[in-house]
Coordinates of all heavy atoms in Angstrom, one line a residue:
G1 N -19.1 -5.1 -1.2 CA -18.6 -5.0 -2.5 C -17.5 -3.9 -2.6 O -17.0 -3.4 -1.7
L2 N -17.2 -3.6 -3.9 CA -16.2 -2.5 -4.2 C -16.6 -1.2 -3.6 O -15.8 -0.5 -3.1 CB -16.0 -2.4 -5.7 CG -15.0 -1.4 -6.1 CD1 -13.6 -1.7 -5.5 CD2 -14.9 -1.4 -7.6
E3 N -17.9 -0.8 -3.7 CA -18.3 0.5 -3.1 C -18.0 0.6 -1.6 O -17.6 1.6 -1.2 CB -19.8 0.7 -3.3 CG -20.3 0.9 -4.8 CD -20.6 -0.5 -5.4 OE1 -20.9 -1.4 -4.7 OE2 -20.5 -0.5 -6.7
M4 N -18.3 -0.5 -0.9 CA -18.0 -0.5 0.6 C -16.5 -0.4 0.8 O -16.1 0.4 1.7 CB -18.6 -1.7 1.2 CG -18.3 -1.8 2.7 SD -19.0 -0.3 3.6 CE -20.5 -0.9 4.1
S5 N -15.7 -1.1 0.1 CA -14.2 -1.0 0.2 C -13.8 0.4 -0.1 O -12.9 0.9 0.7 CB -13.6 -2.0 -0.7 OG -13.9 -3.3 -0.4
E6 N -14.3 1.0 -1.1 CA -13.9 2.4 -1.4 C -14.3 3.3 -0.3 O -13.5 4.2 0.1 CB -14.4 2.8 -2.8 CG -13.7 2.3 -3.9 CD -14.2 3.0 -5.2 OE1 -14.0 4.2 -5.4 OE2 -14.9 2.3 -6.0
F7 N -15.5 3.1 0.2 CA -16.0 4.0 1.3 C -15.1 3.9 2.5 O -14.7 4.9 3.1 CB -17.4 3.6 1.6 CG -17.9 4.3 2.8 CD1 -18.3 5.7 2.8 CD2 -18.0 3.7 4.1 CE1 -18.7 6.3 3.9 CE2 -18.5 4.3 5.2 CZ -18.8 5.7 5.1
V8 N -14.8 2.7 2.9 CA -13.9 2.4 4.1 C -12.6 3.1 3.9 O -12.0 3.8 4.7 CB -13.9 0.9 4.5 CG1 -12.8 0.7 5.5 CG2 -15.2 0.5 4.9
S9 N -12.0 2.8 2.7 CA -10.6 3.3 2.4 C -10.6 4.8 2.5 O -9.7 5.4 3.1 CB -10.2 2.9 1.1 OG -10.0 1.5 1.0
M10 N -11.6 5.5 1.8 CA -11.6 6.9 1.8 C -11.9 7.5 3.2 O -11.4 8.6 3.5 CB -12.6 7.4 0.7 CG -12.1 7.1 -0.7 SD -10.4 7.6 -1.0 CE -10.5 9.4 -0.8
T11 N -12.7 6.8 4.0 CA -13.0 7.3 5.3 C -11.8 7.4 6.2 O -11.5 8.3 6.9 CB -14.1 6.4 6.0 OG1 -15.3 6.4 5.2 CG2 -14.4 6.9 7.4
Y12 N -10.9 6.3 6.0 CA -9.7 6.3 6.8 C -8.5 7.1 6.2 O -7.7 7.7 6.9 CB -9.2 4.8 7.0 CG -10.0 4.1 8.0 CD1 -10.8 3.0 7.6 CD2 -9.9 4.4 9.4 CE1 -11.5 2.3 8.5 CE2 -10.7 3.7 10.3 CZ -11.5 2.7 9.9 OH -12.2 2.0 10.8
L13 N -8.5 7.2 4.9 CA -7.3 7.8 4.2 C -7.5 9.0 3.4 O -6.6 9.7 3.0 CB -6.7 6.7 3.3 CG -6.3 5.4 4.0 CD1 -6.0 4.4 2.9 CD2 -5.2 5.5 5.0
G14 N -8.8 9.3 3.2 CA -9.1 10.4 2.3 C -8.6 11.8 2.6 O -8.3 12.6 1.7
D15 N -8.3 12.0 3.9 CA -7.7 13.4 4.2 C -6.2 13.4 4.3 O -5.6 14.4 4.7 CB -8.4 13.9 5.6 CG -8.2 13.0 6.7 OD1 -7.8 11.8 6.5 OD2 -8.3 13.4 7.9
L16 N -5.5 12.3 4.0 CA -4.1 12.3 4.1 C -3.5 12.5 2.7 O -4.0 12.0 1.7 CB -3.6 10.9 4.5 CG -4.0 10.5 5.9 CD1 -3.6 9.0 6.1 CD2 -3.4 11.3 6.9
N17 N -2.5 13.4 2.7 CA -1.8 13.7 1.3 C -0.6 12.7 1.2 O -0.3 11.9 2.1 CB -1.4 15.1 1.3 CG -0.4 15.5 2.3 OD1 0.5 14.8 2.6 ND2 -0.5 16.8 2.8
D18 N 0.0 12.8 0.0 CA 1.1 11.9 -0.2 C 2.3 12.0 0.8 O 2.8 10.9 1.2 CB 1.7 12.1 -1.6 CG 0.8 11.7 -2.8 OD1 -0.1 10.9 -2.5 OD2 0.9 12.2 -3.9
Q19 N 2.6 13.1 1.3 CA 3.6 13.4 2.2 C 3.2 12.7 3.6 O 4.1 12.1 4.2 CB 3.9 14.8 2.4 CG 5.0 15.1 3.4 CD 5.3 16.6 3.5 OE1 4.6 17.4 2.9 NE2 6.3 16.9 4.3
E20 N 2.0 12.9 4.0 CA 1.5 12.3 5.3 C 1.5 10.8 5.2 O 1.7 10.1 6.2 CB 0.1 12.8 5.6 CG 0.1 14.3 5.9 CD -1.2 14.9 6.0 OE1 -2.1 14.5 5.3 OE2 -1.4 15.8 6.8
L21 N 1.3 10.2 4.0 CA 1.3 8.7 3.9 C 2.7 8.1 4.1 O 2.8 6.9 4.3 CB 0.7 8.3 2.5 CG -0.8 8.5 2.3 CD1 -1.2 8.3 0.9 CD2 -1.6 7.7 3.3
L22 N 3.7 9.0 4.0 CA 5.1 8.5 4.2 C 5.6 8.8 5.6 O 6.8 8.6 5.9 CB 6.0 9.2 3.2 CG 5.8 8.8 1.7 CD1 6.7 9.6 0.9 CD2 6.1 7.3 1.5
V23 N 4.8 9.3 6.5 CA 5.2 9.5 7.9 C 5.2 8.2 8.7 O 4.3 7.4 8.6 CB 4.2 10.5 8.6 CG1 4.5 10.6 10.1 CG2 4.3 11.8 8.0
R24 N 6.3 8.0 9.4 CA 6.4 6.8 10.2 C 6.0 7.1 11.7 O 6.5 8.1 12.2 CB 7.9 6.3 10.2 CG 8.3 5.8 8.8 CD 9.8 5.4 8.8 NE 10.2 5.1 7.5 CZ 10.0 3.8 7.0 NH1 9.6 2.8 7.7 NH2 10.5 3.6 5.7
P25 N 5.1 6.4 12.3 CA 4.7 6.7 13.6 C 5.8 6.5 14.6 O 5.8 7.0 15.7 CB 3.5 5.7 13.9 CG 3.7 4.6 12.9 CD 4.4 5.2 11.7
H26 N 6.8 5.7 14.2 CA 8.0 5.5 15.1 C 9.1 5.1 14.0 O 8.8 4.6 13.0 CB 7.7 4.3 16.0 CG 8.9 4.0 16.9 ND1 9.9 3.2 16.5 CD2 9.2 4.4 18.1 CE1 10.8 3.1 17.5 NE2 10.4 3.8 18.5
P27 N 10.4 5.5 14.3 CA 11.4 5.2 13.4 C 11.5 3.7 12.9 O 12.0 3.4 11.8 CB 12.7 5.6 14.1 CG 12.2 6.7 15.1 CD 10.8 6.2 15.5
Q28 N 11.1 2.8 13.7 CA 11.2 1.4 13.4 C 9.9 0.8 12.8 O 9.7 -0.4 12.6 CB 11.6 0.6 14.5 CG 13.0 0.9 15.0 CD 13.5 0.1 16.2 OE1 12.7 -0.7 16.8 NE2 14.7 0.4 16.6
C29 N 8.9 1.7 12.5 CA 7.6 1.3 12.0 C 7.6 1.6 10.4 O 8.2 2.5 10.0 CB 6.4 2.0 12.6 SG 6.2 1.6 14.4
N30 N 6.7 0.9 9.7 CA 6.5 1.2 8.3 C 5.5 2.4 8.2 O 4.6 2.5 9.0 CB 6.0 0.0 7.6 CG 7.0 -1.2 7.7 OD1 8.2 -1.0 7.5 ND2 6.5 -2.4 7.9
H31 N 5.7 3.1 7.1 CA 4.7 4.2 6.8 C 3.5 3.6 6.2 O 3.5 2.5 5.6 CB 5.4 5.3 6.0 CG 6.1 4.9 4.8 ND1 5.5 4.5 3.7 CD2 7.4 5.0 4.5 CE1 6.4 4.2 2.8 NE2 7.5 4.5 3.2
I32 N 2.4 4.4 6.2 CA 1.1 3.9 5.7 C 1.2 3.6 4.2 O 0.6 2.5 3.8 CB 0.0 5.0 5.9 CG1 -0.1 5.3 7.4 CG2 -1.3 4.6 5.2 CD1 -1.0 6.5 7.7
N33 N 1.9 4.3 3.4 CA 2.0 4.0 2.0 C 2.6 2.6 1.8 O 2.0 1.8 1.0 CB 2.9 5.1 1.3 CG 2.9 4.9 -0.2 OD1 3.2 3.9 -0.8 ND2 2.5 6.0 -0.9
W34 N 3.7 2.3 2.4 CA 4.2 1.0 2.3 C 3.3 -0.1 2.8 O 3.1 -1.1 2.2 CB 5.6 0.8 3.0 CG 6.2 -0.5 2.7 CD1 7.0 -0.8 1.6 CD2 6.0 -1.7 3.5 NE1 7.3 -2.2 1.7 CE2 6.8 -2.7 2.8 CE3 5.3 -2.0 4.6 CZ2 6.8 -4.0 3.3 CZ3 5.4 -3.3 5.1 CH2 6.1 -4.3 4.4
Q35 N 2.6 0.1 3.9 CA 1.7 -0.9 4.5 C 0.6 -1.2 3.5 O 0.2 -2.3 3.3 CB 1.1 -0.3 5.8 CG 2.2 -0.3 7.0 CD 1.6 0.2 8.2 OE1 0.5 -0.1 8.6 NE2 2.4 1.0 9.0
L36 N 0.0 -0.1 3.0 CA -1.1 -0.3 2.0 C -0.6 -1.1 0.8 O -1.3 -2.0 0.3 CB -1.7 1.0 1.6 CG -2.6 1.6 2.7 CD1 -3.0 3.1 2.3 CD2 -3.8 0.8 3.1
G37 N 0.4 -0.6 0.2 CA 0.9 -1.3 -1.0 C 1.3 -2.7 -0.8 O 1.1 -3.6 -1.6
H38 N 2.0 -3.0 0.4 CA 2.3 -4.3 0.7 C 1.1 -5.2 0.9 O 1.1 -6.4 0.4 CB 3.2 -4.3 2.0 CG 3.8 -5.7 2.3 ND1 4.8 -6.3 1.6 CD2 3.5 -6.5 3.3 CE1 5.1 -7.4 2.1 NE2 4.3 -7.6 3.2
L39 N 0.1 -4.7 1.5 CA -1.2 -5.4 1.7 C -1.8 -5.7 0.4 O -2.2 -6.9 0.1 CB -2.1 -4.6 2.6 CG -3.5 -5.2 2.9 CD1 -3.3 -6.5 3.6 CD2 -4.3 -4.2 3.6
I40 N -1.9 -4.7 -0.5 CA -2.4 -5.0 -1.9 C -1.8 -6.0 -2.6 O -2.3 -7.0 -3.2 CB -2.5 -3.6 -2.6 CG1 -3.5 -2.7 -2.0 CG2 -2.8 -3.9 -4.1 CD1 -3.4 -1.2 -2.5
A41 N -0.3 -5.9 -2.6 CA 0.5 -6.9 -3.4 C 0.3 -8.3 -2.8 O 0.2 -9.3 -3.5 CB 1.9 -6.5 -3.4
T42 N 0.3 -8.4 -1.5 CA 0.3 -9.7 -0.8 C -1.1 -10.3 -1.0 O -1.2 -11.5 -1.3 CB 0.6 -9.6 0.7 OG1 1.9 -9.0 0.8 CG2 0.5 -10.9 1.4
E43 N -2.2 -9.5 -0.8 CA -3.5 -10.1 -1.0 C -3.7 -10.5 -2.4 O -4.4 -11.5 -2.8 CB -4.6 -9.1 -0.6 CG -4.7 -8.8 0.8 CD -5.2 -10.0 1.6 OE1 -6.1 -10.7 1.1 OE2 -4.7 -10.3 2.7
H44 N -3.2 -9.7 -3.4 CA -3.3 -10.1 -4.8 C -2.7 -11.4 -5.1 O -3.2 -12.2 -5.8 CB -2.6 -8.9 -5.7 CG -2.8 -9.1 -7.1 ND1 -1.9 -9.8 -7.9 CD2 -3.7 -8.6 -8.0 CE1 -2.3 -9.8 -9.1 NE2 -3.4 -9.1 -9.2
Q45 N -1.5 -11.6 -4.5 CA -0.7 -12.9 -4.7 C -1.5 -14.0 -4.1 O -1.7 -15.1 -4.7 CB 0.6 -12.8 -4.1 CG 1.4 -14.0 -4.2 CD 2.8 -14.0 -3.5 OE1 3.1 -13.0 -2.8 NE2 3.6 -15.0 -3.6
F46 N -2.1 -13.8 -2.9 CA -2.8 -14.9 -2.2 C -4.1 -15.3 -3.0 O -4.4 -16.4 -3.2 CB -3.2 -14.5 -0.8 CG -2.0 -14.5 0.2 CD1 -2.1 -13.8 1.3 CD2 -0.8 -15.2 0.0 CE1 -1.1 -13.7 2.2 CE2 0.2 -15.2 0.9 CZ 0.1 -14.4 2.0
I47 N -4.9 -14.3 -3.4 CA -6.1 -14.5 -4.0 C -5.9 -15.2 -5.4 O -6.6 -16.2 -5.7 CB -7.0 -13.2 -4.1 CG1 -7.4 -12.8 -2.8 CG2 -8.2 -13.5 -5.1 CD1 -8.1 -11.4 -2.7
N48 N -5.0 -14.7 -6.1 CA -4.7 -15.3 -7.4 C -4.1 -16.7 -7.2 O -4.4 -17.6 -8.1 CB -3.7 -14.5 -8.3 CG -4.5 -13.4 -9.1 OD1 -5.7 -13.5 -9.3 ND2 -3.8 -12.4 -9.5
G49 N -3.4 -17.0 -6.2 CA -2.9 -18.3 -5.9 C -4.0 -19.3 -5.6 O -4.0 -20.4 -6.0
V50 N -5.0 -18.8 -4.9 CA -6.1 -19.7 -4.5 C -7.2 -19.8 -5.6 O -7.8 -20.8 -5.9 CB -6.7 -19.2 -3.2 CG1 -8.0 -19.9 -2.8 CG2 -5.8 -19.3 -2.1
A51 N -7.5 -18.7 -6.2 CA -8.6 -18.6 -7.2 C -8.1 -18.6 -8.6 O -8.8 -18.1 -9.5 CB -9.4 -17.3 -6.9
G52 N -6.9 -19.1 -8.9 CA -6.4 -19.3 -10.3 C -6.3 -18.1 -11.2 O -6.8 -18.1 -12.2
G53 N -5.8 -17.0 -10.7 CA -5.5 -15.9 -11.5 C -6.8 -15.0 -11.8 O -6.9 -14.5 -13.0
T54 N -7.7 -15.0 -10.9 CA -9.0 -14.3 -11.2 C -8.8 -12.7 -11.2 O -9.7 -12.0 -11.7 CB -10.1 -14.7 -10.3 OG1 -9.7 -14.5 -8.9 CG2 -10.4 -16.2 -10.5
L55 N -7.9 -12.2 -10.5 CA -7.7 -10.8 -10.4 C -6.9 -10.3 -11.5 O -6.0 -10.9 -12.0 CB -7.0 -10.4 -9.1 CG -7.7 -10.7 -7.8 CD1 -6.8 -10.4 -6.6 CD2 -9.0 -10.0 -7.7
P56 N -7.1 -9.0 -12.0 CA -6.3 -8.4 -13.0 C -4.9 -8.2 -12.5 O -4.7 -8.1 -11.3 CB -7.0 -7.1 -13.3 CG -7.9 -6.8 -12.2 CD -8.3 -8.1 -11.5
A57 N -4.0 -8.1 -13.4 CA -2.6 -7.9 -13.0 C -2.4 -6.5 -12.4 O -3.1 -5.6 -12.7 CB -1.7 -7.9 -14.3
L58 N -1.5 -6.5 -11.4 CA -1.2 -5.2 -10.8 C -0.3 -4.4 -11.8 O 0.2 -5.0 -12.8 CB -0.3 -5.5 -9.6 CG -1.1 -6.0 -8.4 CD1 0.0 -6.4 -7.3 CD2 -2.1 -5.1 -7.8
P59 N -0.2 -3.1 -11.7 CA 0.7 -2.3 -12.6 C 2.1 -2.9 -12.5 O 2.6 -3.4 -11.5 CB 0.6 -0.9 -12.0 CG -0.7 -0.8 -11.2 CD -0.9 -2.2 -10.7
A60 N 2.8 -2.8 -13.7 CA 4.2 -3.3 -13.7 C 5.0 -2.7 -12.6 O 5.0 -1.5 -12.4 CB 4.7 -3.0 -15.1
G61 N 5.8 -3.5 -11.9 CA 6.7 -3.2 -10.9 C 6.0 -2.8 -9.5 O 6.7 -2.6 -8.6
F62 N 4.7 -2.9 -9.4 CA 4.0 -2.6 -8.2 C 4.4 -3.5 -7.0 O 4.8 -3.0 -6.0 CB 2.5 -2.7 -8.3 CG 1.7 -2.2 -7.1 CD1 1.3 -0.8 -7.0 CD2 1.4 -3.0 -6.1 CE1 0.6 -0.4 -5.9 CE2 0.7 -2.6 -5.0 CZ 0.3 -1.3 -4.9
A63 N 4.4 -4.8 -7.2 CA 4.8 -5.7 -6.1 C 6.2 -5.4 -5.6 O 6.5 -5.5 -4.4 CB 4.6 -7.1 -6.5
E64 N 7.1 -5.1 -6.5 CA 8.5 -5.0 -6.2 C 8.6 -3.7 -5.3 O 9.5 -3.5 -4.5 CB 9.4 -4.9 -7.4 CG 9.5 -6.2 -8.1 CD 8.3 -6.5 -9.0 OE1 7.4 -5.6 -9.3 OE2 8.2 -7.7 -9.4
K65 N 7.8 -2.7 -5.6 CA 7.9 -1.4 -4.9 C 7.5 -1.6 -3.4 O 7.9 -0.9 -2.5 CB 6.9 -0.4 -5.5 CG 7.3 0.2 -6.7 CD 6.4 1.3 -7.2 CE 6.8 1.9 -8.5 NZ 6.0 3.0 -8.9
Y66 N 6.7 -2.7 -3.2 CA 6.2 -2.9 -1.8 C 6.6 -4.2 -1.2 O 6.1 -4.7 -0.3 CB 4.7 -2.8 -1.8 CG 4.2 -1.4 -2.2 CD1 3.9 -1.0 -3.5 CD2 4.2 -0.5 -1.2 CE1 3.5 0.3 -3.7 CE2 3.9 0.9 -1.4 CZ 3.5 1.2 -2.7 OH 3.2 2.5 -3.0
D67 N 7.7 -4.8 -1.7 CA 8.3 -6.0 -1.0 C 9.1 -5.6 0.2 O 9.2 -4.4 0.5 CB 9.1 -6.8 -2.0 CG 10.4 -6.2 -2.5 OD1 10.8 -5.2 -1.9 OD2 11.0 -6.6 -3.5
R68 N 9.5 -6.5 1.0 CA 10.1 -6.3 2.3 C 11.4 -5.4 2.2 O 11.7 -4.7 3.0 CB 10.4 -7.6 3.0 CG 9.2 -8.3 3.5 CD 9.5 -9.6 4.2 NE 8.3 -10.3 4.3 CZ 7.9 -10.7 5.5 NH1 8.6 -10.5 6.6 NH2 6.8 -11.4 5.6
S69 N 12.0 -5.6 1.1 CA 13.3 -4.8 0.9 C 13.1 -3.3 0.8 O 13.9 -2.5 1.0 CB 14.1 -5.3 -0.3 OG 13.5 -5.0 -1.5
A70 N 11.8 -2.9 0.4 CA 11.5 -1.5 0.2 C 10.9 -0.9 1.5 O 10.7 0.3 1.5 CB 10.5 -1.3 -0.9
A71 N 10.7 -1.7 2.5 CA 10.0 -1.2 3.7 C 10.8 0.0 4.4 O 10.2 0.9 5.0 CB 9.8 -2.3 4.7
G72 N 12.1 0.0 4.3 CA 12.9 1.1 4.8 C 13.0 2.3 4.1 O 13.6 3.3 4.5
S73 N 12.5 2.4 2.9 CA 12.6 3.6 2.0 C 11.7 4.6 2.4 O 10.5 4.4 2.7 CB 12.4 3.1 0.5 OG 12.4 4.3 -0.3
D74 N 12.2 5.8 2.4 CA 11.3 7.0 2.6 C 11.3 7.9 1.4 O 10.8 9.1 1.4 CB 11.9 7.9 3.8 CG 11.7 7.2 5.1 OD1 10.6 6.5 5.3 OD2 12.6 7.2 5.9
D75 N 11.8 7.4 0.2 CA 11.9 8.1 -1.0 C 10.5 8.1 -1.7 O 10.0 7.1 -2.1 CB 12.8 7.5 -2.0 CG 12.9 8.1 -3.3 OD1 12.3 9.2 -3.5 OD2 13.8 7.7 -4.1
P76 N 9.8 9.3 -1.7 CA 8.5 9.4 -2.3 C 8.4 9.0 -3.8 O 7.4 8.5 -4.3 CB 8.1 10.9 -2.1 CG 9.3 11.6 -1.8 CD 10.3 10.6 -1.3
Q77 N 9.5 9.0 -4.5 CA 9.6 8.6 -5.9 C 9.5 7.1 -6.0 O 9.1 6.6 -7.1 CB 10.8 9.1 -6.5 CG 11.0 10.6 -6.5 CD 9.9 11.3 -7.3 OE1 9.5 10.9 -8.4 NE2 9.3 12.3 -6.7
H78 N 9.7 6.4 -5.0 CA 9.8 4.9 -5.0 C 8.3 4.3 -5.0 O 8.1 3.2 -5.5 CB 10.6 4.4 -3.9 CG 10.7 2.9 -3.9 ND1 11.6 2.2 -4.6 CD2 9.9 1.9 -3.3 CE1 11.4 0.9 -4.4 NE2 10.4 0.7 -3.6
F79 N 7.4 5.1 -4.4 CA 6.1 4.5 -4.1 C 5.0 5.2 -4.9 O 5.2 6.2 -5.5 CB 5.8 4.7 -2.6 CG 6.8 4.1 -1.7 CD1 7.8 4.8 -1.0 CD2 6.7 2.7 -1.5 CE1 8.6 4.1 -0.2 CE2 7.6 2.0 -0.7 CZ 8.6 2.8 0.0
A80 N 3.8 4.5 -4.9 CA 2.7 5.1 -5.6 C 2.2 6.3 -4.9 O 2.4 6.4 -3.7 CB 1.6 4.0 -5.7
N81 N 1.5 7.1 -5.7 CA 0.9 8.3 -5.0 C -0.5 8.5 -5.4 O -1.0 7.7 -6.2 CB 1.7 9.6 -5.4 CG 1.8 9.8 -6.9 OD1 1.0 9.4 -7.7 ND2 2.9 10.5 -7.3
N82 N -1.2 9.4 -4.8 CA -2.6 9.7 -5.1 C -2.7 10.0 -6.6 O -3.3 10.3 -7.3 CB -3.2 10.8 -4.3 CG -3.3 10.4 -2.9 OD1 -3.4 9.2 -2.5 ND2 -3.2 11.4 -2.0

């Protein structure tokens, strides 16, 4: 359930700050912030597509912040933060 998802997320990410979430492990890799946001937006789209809009709406502009065109951005103002 949600408690397990929160536990797993915080176990992996809880000690990272906003700046560390924007570190790229290699110049051609995506940073963690973009990867997580893209995963959230994509899963939201897939689940609502299959389950008929059962998930609540994402915050306005969230999906656009994490589309493929934003993957190259390192601007912390562009992405969500803690």
Side-chain angles (χ1 to χ4, degrees):
L2 182 59
E3 294 90 19
M4 181 57 95
S5 297
E6 280 188 72
F7 172 75
V8 170
S9 297
M10 291 310 296
T11 300
Y12 285 112
L13 305 170
D15 62 341
L16 297 174
N17 63 38
D18 291 340
Q19 184 179 4
E20 291 168 329
L21 290 172
L22 292 172
V23 172
R24 295 176 185 271
H26 182 276
Q28 295 179 0
C29 294
N30 298 319
H31 49 71
I32 296 170
N33 188 304
W34 184 86
Q35 290 180 38
L36 289 173
H38 186 69
L39 179 63
I40 291 167
T42 302
E43 289 293 317
H44 186 270
Q45 180 183 6
F46 288 157
I47 292 170
N48 274 341
V50 172
T54 57
L55 295 178
L58 292 172
F62 185 91
E64 292 78 15
K65 288 182 178 186
Y66 293 98
D67 66 14
R68 290 179 191 236
S69 67
S73 176
D74 291 320
D75 180 1
Q77 300 300 312
H78 182 85
F79 300 103
N81 57 27
N82 292 330

